[in-house]
Amino acid sequence: MAEITAALVKDLREKTGAGMMDCKKALNETGGDVEQAIDWLRKKGLAAAAKKSGRVAAEGLIGVASGPRIAAMVEVNAETDFVARNESFQEFVNSVAQIALQIGDDVEAIKTAVLPTGRSVADEITHLIATIGENMSLRRARVLRVPSGVVATYVHGALRPGLGKIGVLAAIEAPSESEALELLGRQVGMHVAATSPSALDVNAVDPAALERERAVLTEQARASGKPEAIIEKMVEGRVRKYYEEVVLLEQVWVHDGESRVKAVVQKAGGKLVAFDRFKLGEGIEKESSDFAAEVAAASGVRKDPDPDLEPA
């Protein structure tokens, strides 16, 4: 029996795209014969995963997990919304969130972590691709923690506890943890899910984005024909309005329509120090398809005949 070396496993993995543990098992099952190992993987459906790796995966689930003064959030993508309702996929996303809670939000480190199945997260993704038949990926992760207080979680459109389409983490520092503080954190999460702020406070606003906004506002103010001194005051007033739109602490609290978020948190005796919001598939360019055109093409019928080819 041939020795199953790391180089042999690597060679099989490159040829099939299957996971490392699956490649090692295939080589063990076939006595180290690479060609037979390829066939073994194909029979198990594991080699097929590589063929799916180029397909766009913008659906899936956001998963959250929490513990005392810490919470984690991950996004695991698949190709269709149907996979999000698959129990195996849901359990996997939940497990990945729990791993992030333990080891942090370095995606590459999470991928190497070993699951109860004995496979790494990366190899489990390959296994699920082969089993379910869709491309999948662990896209991102975020972990927030506080020395004292709470890191609350909120999931919008939850399919089950901790799994949904939009996830939010809200870190509130306070002298101690309490049910009232946890409730406030969840309310902050609901607010963030609804308003999608881009910065925690004014100092955290992206300078480039602020400069672009200021330039647009300045041109709009100049169109009024007013003196430069008045224009400057107009711009500053509109910049403050801009902050109210994009800065979480400056926003109007959606739960009462009057208070500022910073005032609500301060009144509760806490300090909102960090937040993050994951929306499933945001920023991923989805492929658009014309189903009717695909059917027509498959049947050999043109959907939109070229007028130049039509008979006179």
Side-chain angles (χ1 to χ4, degrees), residues 64-73 97-98 101 144 151-153 169 182:
V64 302
S66 60
R69 302 176 301 282
I70 186 172
M73 181 166 59
Q98 292 291 340
L101 189 68
L144 295 180
V151 181
T153 66
L169 305 183
E182 187 70 37

Coordinates of all heavy atoms in Angstrom, one line a residue, residues 64-73 97-98 101 144 151-153 169 182:
V64 N -25.9 34.3 14.2 CA -25.4 35.0 15.4 C -25.3 34.0 16.6 O -26.0 33.1 16.7 CB -26.2 36.3 15.8 CG1 -26.3 37.2 14.6 CG2 -27.6 35.9 16.3
A65 N -24.3 34.3 17.4 CA -24.2 33.5 18.7 C -23.7 34.5 19.7 O -22.9 35.5 19.4 CB -23.2 32.4 18.5
S66 N -24.0 34.3 21.0 CA -23.6 35.2 22.0 C -23.3 34.5 23.3 O -23.7 33.4 23.6 CB -24.7 36.3 22.3 OG -25.9 35.6 22.7
G67 N -22.5 35.2 24.1 CA -22.1 34.8 25.5 C -22.0 36.0 26.3 O -22.3 37.1 25.9
P68 N -21.6 35.9 27.6 CA -21.4 37.0 28.5 C -20.4 38.0 27.9 O -19.3 37.7 27.7 CB -20.9 36.4 29.8 CG -21.3 35.0 29.7 CD -21.3 34.6 28.3
R69 N -20.9 39.2 27.6 CA -20.1 40.4 27.2 C -19.4 40.1 25.8 O -18.5 40.8 25.5 CB -19.0 40.7 28.2 CG -19.6 41.1 29.6 CD -18.5 41.4 30.6 NE -17.7 40.2 30.8 CZ -18.0 39.1 31.5 NH1 -19.2 39.1 32.1 NH2 -17.2 38.1 31.6
I70 N -20.0 39.2 25.0 CA -19.4 38.9 23.7 C -20.5 38.4 22.8 O -21.4 37.7 23.2 CB -18.2 37.9 23.8 CG1 -17.5 37.7 22.4 CG2 -18.7 36.6 24.3 CD1 -16.3 36.9 22.5
A71 N -20.4 38.7 21.5 CA -21.3 38.1 20.5 C -20.6 38.0 19.2 O -19.6 38.7 18.9 CB -22.6 38.9 20.4
A72 N -21.0 37.0 18.3 CA -20.4 36.8 17.0 C -21.5 36.8 16.0 O -22.6 36.4 16.2 CB -19.6 35.5 17.0
M73 N -21.1 37.1 14.7 CA -22.0 37.1 13.6 C -21.2 36.7 12.4 O -20.1 37.1 12.1 CB -22.6 38.5 13.4 CG -23.5 38.7 12.3 SD -24.4 40.3 12.4 CE -23.1 41.5 12.3
A97 N -21.1 30.1 13.6 CA -21.2 31.3 14.5 C -20.7 31.0 15.9 O -20.0 31.8 16.5 CB -22.7 31.7 14.6
Q98 N -20.9 29.7 16.4 CA -20.4 29.3 17.7 C -18.8 29.3 17.7 O -18.2 29.7 18.6 CB -20.9 28.0 18.1 CG -22.4 28.0 18.4 CD -22.8 28.7 19.6 OE1 -21.9 28.9 20.5 NE2 -24.0 29.1 19.7
L101 N -17.5 32.7 17.9 CA -17.6 33.2 19.2 C -16.4 32.8 20.1 O -15.9 33.5 21.0 CB -18.9 32.7 19.8 CG -19.3 33.2 21.2 CD1 -19.7 34.7 21.1 CD2 -20.5 32.4 21.7
L144 N -17.8 41.1 18.5 CA -17.7 42.3 19.4 C -17.7 41.8 20.8 O -18.4 40.9 21.2 CB -18.8 43.2 19.2 CG -19.0 43.9 17.8 CD1 -20.2 44.8 17.8 CD2 -17.7 44.7 17.4
V151 N -23.2 42.7 24.9 CA -23.2 42.8 23.4 C -24.5 42.1 22.9 O -24.6 40.8 23.0 CB -21.9 42.1 22.8 CG1 -22.0 42.2 21.3 CG2 -20.7 42.7 23.3
A152 N -25.4 42.8 22.6 CA -26.7 42.3 22.2 C -26.8 41.9 20.7 O -26.0 42.4 19.9 CB -27.8 43.3 22.5
T153 N -27.7 41.0 20.4 CA -27.8 40.6 19.0 C -29.3 40.7 18.6 O -30.2 40.7 19.4 CB -27.5 39.1 18.8 OG1 -28.4 38.3 19.5 CG2 -26.0 38.8 19.3
L169 N -25.1 43.3 15.6 CA -24.5 43.3 16.9 C -24.4 44.7 17.5 O -24.1 45.6 16.7 CB -23.0 42.7 16.9 CG -22.8 41.3 16.2 CD1 -21.4 40.9 16.3 CD2 -23.7 40.3 16.8
E182 N -29.9 44.5 28.2 CA -30.0 43.6 27.2 C -31.2 43.9 26.2 O -31.0 43.9 25.0 CB -30.2 42.2 27.7 CG -30.2 41.1 26.7 CD -28.8 40.8 26.1 OE1 -27.8 40.9 26.9 OE2 -28.7 40.6 24.9

